[in-house]
Structure formats: structure tokens, C-alpha cells
Amino acid sequence: MGTVNGAQALLASLLNHDVDVCFANPGTSEMHFVAALDRVPAMRGVLGLFEGVATGAADGYARMADKPAAVLLHLGPGLGNGLANLHNARRAHVPMVVVVGDHATHHKKYDAPLESDIDAVAGTVSGWVRRTQRVADVGVDAAAAIEASRNGEIATLILPADVSWSEGGDPAEPGPVSSDPQVDTDAVRAAAKALRSGDPTVILIGGDATRASGLSAAVRIAERTGARVLCETFPTRLERGAGVPAVDRLAYFAEAAEAQLAGTQHLILAGARSPVSFFAYPGKRSDLVPDGCAPLTLAGHRGAAEALELLADELAPDTTAALAPAARPELPTGPLTAVSVAAAVGAMLPEGTVIVDESNTAGVMLAASTAGAPAHDVLTLTGGAIGYGMPAAIGAAIAAPDRPILSLQADGSAMYTVSALWTQARENLNVTTVILNNGAYDILRIELQRVGAENADTPGPRALDLLDLGRPAIDFVKIAEGMGVPARRVTTAEDLTAALAEAFAETGPHLIEAVIPSIVG
Amino acid sequence: MGTVNGAQALLASLLNHDVDVCFANPGTSEMHFVAALDRVPAMRGVLGLFEGVATGAADGYARMADKPAAVLLHLGPGLGNGLANLHNARRAHVPMVVVVGDHATHHKKYDAPLESDIDAVAGTVSGWVRRTQRVADVGVDAAAAIEASRNGEIATLILPADVSWSEGGDPAEPGPVSSDPQVDTDAVRAAAKALRSGDPTVILIGGDATRASGLSAAVRIAERTGARVLCETFPTRLERGAGVPAVDRLAYFAEAAEAQLAGTQHLILAGARSPVSFFAYPGKRSDLVPDGCAPLTLAGHRGAAEALELLADELAPDTTAALAPAARPELPTGPLTAVSVAAAVGAMLPEGTVIVDESNTAGVMLAASTAGAPAHDVLTLTGGAIGYGMPAAIGAAIAAPDRPILSLQADGSAMYTVSALWTQARENLNVTTVILNNGAYDILRIELQRVGAENADTPGPRALDLLDLGRPAIDFVKIAEGMGVPARRVTTAEDLTAALAEAFAETGPHLIEAVIPSIVG
């Protein structure tokens, strides 16, 4: 492309490394990057109206594409707006290349109104941070960022405006793809010993072990040895449904998780972290590993499937993993509840659907009612920062354009990044959003009760009012239509199944507002 | 109140120091704080559906109440979501007490999914950060936070959940209010000398000098000495209109600001920073101080009005500041444009209105057309992080319940924190929002042209597409109605003036979507 400026070199470097989608919410300091899009037409720029939409979309994209997208953010405040979904992405161990435009190098000392400490904020979510100081380094730095991201990390490249606009960029040539981590054979041996002991053993899977190959290996081992398999509470991407080996997930509430793990003597961690309570509660344990059980790390988030396969070949060479049988709930009827919503989803789910699950309390019955639905993927809220689902659905749809995306979204969480709907409309993505509208932060009403009981405080009306979303009621149909997404409200199971059928049959985004009662009451 | 837990001690400490509003978006780790609201009913809890709404509201509140509000945020992601408006608040030098709930002290080592480096993120926007480690310290720490905030800083108190829930809190008794900074008499003398020199002199005002007393003093000095008075580009709170001494603001675009300052030999900074370009541009200066002119700092953001009064008493003891005469534009007619919108606002503005101005490019004519409108205040985008206006309007309305709030909001910026409308409805606030909908990030189309010209790159269609908000068109009437705010769309000046009259006459929030052409075309 002849002489290029820094922005053009960056775009070319990204493309040379197969990064060809950029989720963007640019500002003045990124205008050269934006201008360069016309020079590098193979890069798809996807606009978000808020930075959390861009970062969440890049996360959903990476989970389905198994490669990084780029994200373009504007200075420190833009990074701040994107931070919550970067937190989720960090916990998901997805690859992502975040480009944060900054003031020109010579401008920083003036402490202009938008000056802030980008490096400090970026450091809290990034496995790799670099500030490019010279245009000649743009290509090298971009290649290093991409390489770092492929370890399942957020790589943040801070790009001063003058580095972007200066001539003398040198695009990085395609480089080697990083290799998978080596399997730790000592760990495999130790796990095999535990599994052969006959003691009660749990294999807790996560990371890359929650797809078909890892699931199959884990289930084969379990069938042969009597161990149990559990999946981490919030997997990055879980394959499940008819024809896929089935695993239960570790429960969210610590009491339930402790019950699942009770009596375990060997806990083998295959891509998962040692289980801990999501939050602390007065007088309750944080560490959920049973007394007398020492966790054994078989593999980190990458290479877990491979380690399990080695282990399965050793322990269960002739065992075939049982696959979940096809089974759908009957079509539900009557008033909508969390139960009938889940049944409707189970009954209607198309083959190959990607479920982006931010249904929170309203999704409590979802796993059971979709266990035998046609094979599908589930993306979950890995970092607990709400406002993830609707943006992630954008990225999943762009990475997997031939698959239906079902975005199951709690009402409270939906409002953090609701402008994601506009991008879904703009890009005409096949996303069906179901808003589970119970008019409250129901999870917090539960947590308030749990916490309040310890304090012998009955939650008072002013506390409960602060968790109430019903005054005024949020009309998601109008909000969706306001952003160009066709929408309807349903209050019966029959109407929900009809609405799902219609949404799955048509291209482009749809929103269904499912009005359900609170499970707290 | 007998024995109290940490959360109760914190609330009592805040109240004892006259902090009686808390803008909140809580999570599980803040449930004890929420539960304590029923024990401390004098604290008003205001729910935001997104943390940026809460932090922006606290900023708007502080600007009108001249005292801090508290903000309650959930862990690192909650702080991240609130960061952009904390950035604006930092640049506004407003007092604010931010309480960030964290995991229990004993839980942090487990690196639970929501664990993150709160301290690092908080440090980028806070003048004061403390992590309370023992319940006995809650009262002392809260008092220190409030004291720090009164210097015009964000004070962030990180409150672990167990500190919140443990008994043994000790509420801080009311403490002394911090005193104003001493006037620097050397600086007053130096400024007086410059002003007496007869050389071309500009007094650039900001901080607390943009209210009646500071304006009056600055204008008296100018009238007596021939100096000119300019107001910083983005004042925290500017009093203006009929009966108030009038000052021009320094222009946003550096070229225009340089023209305003050309020939200045003495630049006296009274509460304002030395002027710099908002962004850097290739081949253009960042520092806007003319060559040969050394800025002279009379006062920082606090004490600037007092310093100007001393100076005025010395230089212009018998001079009375001229006051802006009452003058309104004629009622505009015909199609809406940025010009006729501004005229409609000038023609209709009620006495005592607080204008929250995030109109960006669409507001270019606003200052001229409201210069003689009844006295009003203007709150501006001090830090340049968009998504400020609609949240700030909440806080302004709560601080000044008897004044009309006019929230002038550009369409692109509106979408960052649009859920502020829901809180406006929930609290039945007298906020009239006018969305200036030109269907584009117009400011970025201008910036792209400025930048593109330097590069001899004509902006291409893909770049322009990334700045286009018209595909699909955003229907702000539906979005507002979806959040419980009555709304209408207007396309003529006549309809806009009618809609403004109606909105100002009724209590509660209203939204008017004013469809205007882009000024870029």
C-alpha cells in the first residue's frame, strides 16, 4: 500500500494476523483509524453506541470465532465505559485486541480535559499492555498484541493520535500462530492415580474442556472410574444438548455448590479454577473445596481438553461417552413463569443455536429444559459484571452468521447496555432477544434476604424499593422499536412459543418481552 | 442508634456531615448498605439503572447543591461503569463521596469472579482513596472522605462487605467544615500590576469565579482597566442571562480560541487552567497561550471569586459591573435547525432554569440566543466524556427541586446513559430533555474533515458510515416512553416552542425529540 501512516499500518497488521472485525466507538483521537478503514476494506468496522457494547461484542465474537476481534475505544473514559465487559472477557480467557486511542504524545503534558491514566485502568483487565511511542513500532506492537491475546488474554495497545497520523508505518507480516501449551504429564499421572483410587472424585471442567472433545473425554473417564464430572459455574462456551455428552454445572449459590461437592476426596481441575463462593456471606465459607480434599490441577484454561483426552485414553481407552438423548419439554401453556419460559425455549430451540445467557434468576430452570434440545452452545456471564448478554449476542452473530442467536436477558441487566439492540438492527443480525421482565433486581432481593437473615434485619420497604424496577415499568417493546428492532410483549406460554417461532423464522433481530412474576414475590 | 454495623455507621456519618442523598446502583456486596437505609430514613436513596447514571447525577447534584452527594457502586465493574462521569466530575472539581463495595476482606484472596483491582481504577479519578479494613474505622474514614471531597475532589471509600456487616461501627460526629483556601496576596499584587500596565490583558475565569460574585468582580475590573474577561470553555456552573454580568466563553475549536486570545500580553488565570487545545492536530499548537504571554495564576478553582473581589476592590472600587440586559429572540418559525432550536430555547427559557448542556455541535448558537434570557445556570461537559447530561439533570433536579431543569442533549451522546430517563420518571423530576437529533456523530464528522484535510485523505464512505446514526434512525420518543417519560417529536420551530411551553408548565419529566439537519451536511 505504499507509504502508510500508523493507523493504516495497524489495520494492515491486524488483517495480516486474521483479525478482520473491529468493534468500535471512536472519538477524535481515533479519526485516523476510522479514515483508514477506507484504505483497508477487508476490515469490518462495527459501530457500537457505547463502549461496553463494543467490548462485550468482541467477547462474544471471540467465544464463537476462536480468534480475537479488535476493539477501538476513545481515551480513558471510553476504556472506562468498556471496562465491565473487559472484566467478563478477562474471566472468560478470550483473546481480544483492544486499541485505545490517546492524545498525541506531545499533547499529554498539557493535561487537556480528556487526559487520564489509561495505562493504569488498562492494566486492571489486560494481560498485556503497551503504549506505542513511534510510528515505526506500530506493526511490531500490533503483532505482539495479537500474539499475547491468543493466550486467552486481553491485549491493550494504547495508540497516541500522532503515532496514528504520522507516516512511516510498517505493517507486521503474518507471524507464527502461538502453539498450545504442553500437557503437564506429571499432572496427568497424578490425576490418573486419584481416579484409580476408588475414592469419591470430581472432575471440574472449564476453559477449553467444555466443548465436545473435552466433554467426551471427561465423561468417558467418569463412566469408567465412577468419578463425577461437573462444569464450572460460568463456562466461557459450553456445548450441550442432544448428541453431546451431558455435564451438570456447579451451582451459583454456595450452599448448593457445597452440597454438590460434599464428600469429594479428589477434585481434579481441568481448565477450571478451584471452586469458591461467588460472594462472601457472614459465617459462611468462601472456599468450597470440602475439608480433606486437596484440589489437583490437571490443566489451565488452555490445553484442558487435550489433557483430558490423554487421561481418557489411558484410563478409558475402550469407553464411549454417553450422549444426551434428544428430548424436548412439551409445549407449555398458560401464564408465563420462569418455568414455562424455560420450557418454551427447550421446546422451540433450533439446532445449532448459540444461547447467550444473562437470564440470572429467571433462567433457573433453563438448563433442565434444554438438556435434550438440539445441540447448541451456551455463553455465560463469566465475570459476573451484568450488561454482557446483549453485546455478546452481537459478536456471536457476527462470528457465526449462519447460526441463530438466542439472547436470554434479565430485565435489570438489560438496561446496562441496551443500545446493543441498535447495533443488532444496523448489522441485521439474527439475534432473538427474550427479555425476562420480572420488574425487579430479583437476585438482589434474594441476596438481601440471605444477608438480612444473618443480621436479624427484615428487609425494610426502603431497601426493597431500591431493588424495584417496576416504578415505572420498563417497556422493552418500545425501547427495542426505538432502536429499530421489531418487538412484541407476551404474557402467556402460547404467545411466547409463537413469538419464538416467528423470530427464528425471520432474518434480522427480534425482541420478545416475556412478562414473568418475580420468583421472590 | 445503639450498636450499629459498618453500613449503618457509614450512613449515619454521612448524614452527620450533611450528605443526605445517595445515588446508588448496588449489588450483593452492598446489601447491608441498602438494608441500612431503613434504619437511617433521612438518607435519600436514588436508584440508577447504570452506574454512569449514578455518578453523573452526583456530579449534577454537587454543582447545584454545593455539597457532596454519596454514590454507591458495586465492585470494580460498577466503578468502571461509573468512571466516565467520575472523570467529568474530577474535571469539574465537584465534591463527591464514592462508596465502592468490595468483597469481604477474607474473601479477596480467592480471586472470585468479580474480584478486580478497585484501588487502581479508583486512583485514576479520585483525589482521595481509602480502603476501610476494620469496622471501627468506618466513621473516621467516612469523615475523612467527606472532608477530602469538600476540596472539590472525588473521595473514594472502598468498603469490604464484612466491614459493612460487622457490628462495632462508630458513626463520626459532625466535624468542622473545611475552610476556604487563603487568597494569595502576591498573586493579587502581580495581577494588579499586569492590569494596570495598559497592555492587552485577558482574565480567564473558571472554578468558583463563574457565579454572580466572581463574574461581577471580573467585569468590574475589566470595565475599569480595559482588560477582557473570558470564561473557560467548559465551566462547572456558569451563571448568566438578564441581570447577570455577561462573559464570553473561550471557544472549543483551538483556531477560534487562538483568535480570541491573539495579542494578549497578560493572561490572568482566575480559577481556570492555562488554555490548551482540547485535542492535538497535526501541525497545530496545543498550548493556546500566545507567544510572549506568560500566564499568571491568580487562584485555583476554589477561592477564585474571592481573589477577584479583592482585586476589584483594589482596582475598581467605584465601578459597578454592567449587567446583561433582558432580551429574547423572537419566536422562531419554520423548519427546525440548530439556529431555530437555540432561538426557541432563548425565547421560552423560564427564570431560574438550570441548563445541562450536552448539545455539542447542535448547541453552537445557544449562548448567543440565551444571553438575555432570564437568569439561569449552565452546567457543561467539563471532562469531555459524553453521556453526562441526562444523568447530571437528575442530580440538578434533586438539588434544586424548585427550578426547571432543561437538559439539552445531542443524540449520539444521549445513548451512553439513556436509562437516566427512567430515574427521572421514578423520581418525578422536573426535567425537560430536548434531544437534538441530527442522526450522526456530527462533531466527529467535523473532526474527520479537519484531520482528513491534513492527510490529503478525503473521508471515504466506510469512515463516514461509522459516524452515521441514521441506520436505523433512533426513535427517542419510543425510548423515552419505554422508560416512563412522556415524549413527543417535533420538526418545526412552532411545535418546539409549544412543546417547551407544555413541558415547562407540567411537573415531572418530559422529552422532546427535535429533529434537525446535520450542520456538516
Side-chain angles (χ1 to χ4, degrees), chain A residues 34 55 59 134 206 210 291 306 342 355 386 422 436 481 509:
Chain A
V34 171
T55 55
D59 181 358
R134 304 181 319 155
T210 60
D291 288 332
E306 194 183 343
I355 297 178
I386 55 178
W422 183 82
L436 297 147
E481 289 176 350

Side-chain angles (χ1 to χ4, degrees), chain A residues 101-395:
Chain A
D102 195 5
H103 284 309
T105 51
H106 59 273
H107 195 66
K108 288 189 72 65
K109 67 180 173 192
Y110 296 107
D111 194 30
L114 272 163
E115 178 68 30
S116 69
D117 190 345
I118 296 172
D119 308 70
V121 175
T124 67
V125 288
S126 310
W128 184 100
V129 181
R130 191 175 295 175
R131 173 180 286 277
T132 301
Q133 296 284 9
R134 304 181 319 155
V135 64
D137 295 336
V138 168
V140 172
D141 289 352
I146 297 159
E147 174 69 14
S149 80
R150 291 195 194 275
N151 292 321
E153 292 183 336
I154 295 167
T156 300
L157 188 65
I158 303 170
L159 190 68
D162 56 333
V163 175
S164 213
W165 78 50
S166 296
E167 298 293 318
D170 188 9
E173 295 302 318
V177 173
S178 56
S179 55
D180 281 333
Q182 288 284 316
V183 171
D184 177 346
T185 50
D186 288 348
V188 172
R189 205 169 305 122
K193 187 179 168 199
L195 286 158
R196 285 196 178 104
S197 69
D199 301 330
T201 300
V202 166
I203 307 170
L204 186 63
I205 62 170
D208 67 9
T210 60
R211 314 255 194 114
S213 67
L215 293 167
S216 181
V219 168
R220 284 168 60 205
I221 296 165
E223 286 172 4
R224 183 68 184 75
T225 65
R228 285 185 302 141
V229 182
L230 288 171
C231 173
E232 60 185 350
T233 309
F234 293 106
T236 298
R237 175 178 166 189
L238 175 61
E239 294 184 11
R240 63 194 298 275
V244 181
V247 295
D248 284 334
R249 279 161 66 181
L250 192 68
Y252 167 76
F253 288 118
E255 302 89 323
E258 282 189 301
Q260 286 174 296
L261 295 171
T264 301
Q265 293 194 21
H266 305 289
L267 179 62
I268 297 171
L269 304 173
R273 314 259 316 268
S274 188
V276 298
S277 176
F278 206 83
F279 292 106
Y281 300 92
K284 293 181 185 162
R285 297 173 55 140
S286 290
D287 187 349
L288 301 181
V289 178
D291 288 332
C293 170
L296 191 165
T297 300
L298 176 66
H301 63 92
R302 291 178 66 213
E306 194 183 343
L308 284 169
E309 284 177 328
L310 269 179
L311 197 56
D313 288 346
E314 181 177 337
L315 294 175
D318 305 320
T319 307
T320 307
L323 307 179
R328 287 189 190 260
E330 284 184 27
L331 280 176
T333 58
L336 275 185
T337 62
V339 176
S340 59
V341 167
V345 168
M348 302 298 297
L349 198 74
E351 170 104 39
T353 297
V354 180
I355 297 178
V356 182
D357 183 13
E358 194 172 69
S359 54
N360 304 351
T361 57
V364 66
M365 298 302 295
L366 200 69
S369 59
T370 54
H376 58 277
D377 289 71
V378 180
L379 315 186
T380 77
L381 185 59
T382 48
I386 55 178
Y388 155 80
M390 294 159 84
I394 293 169

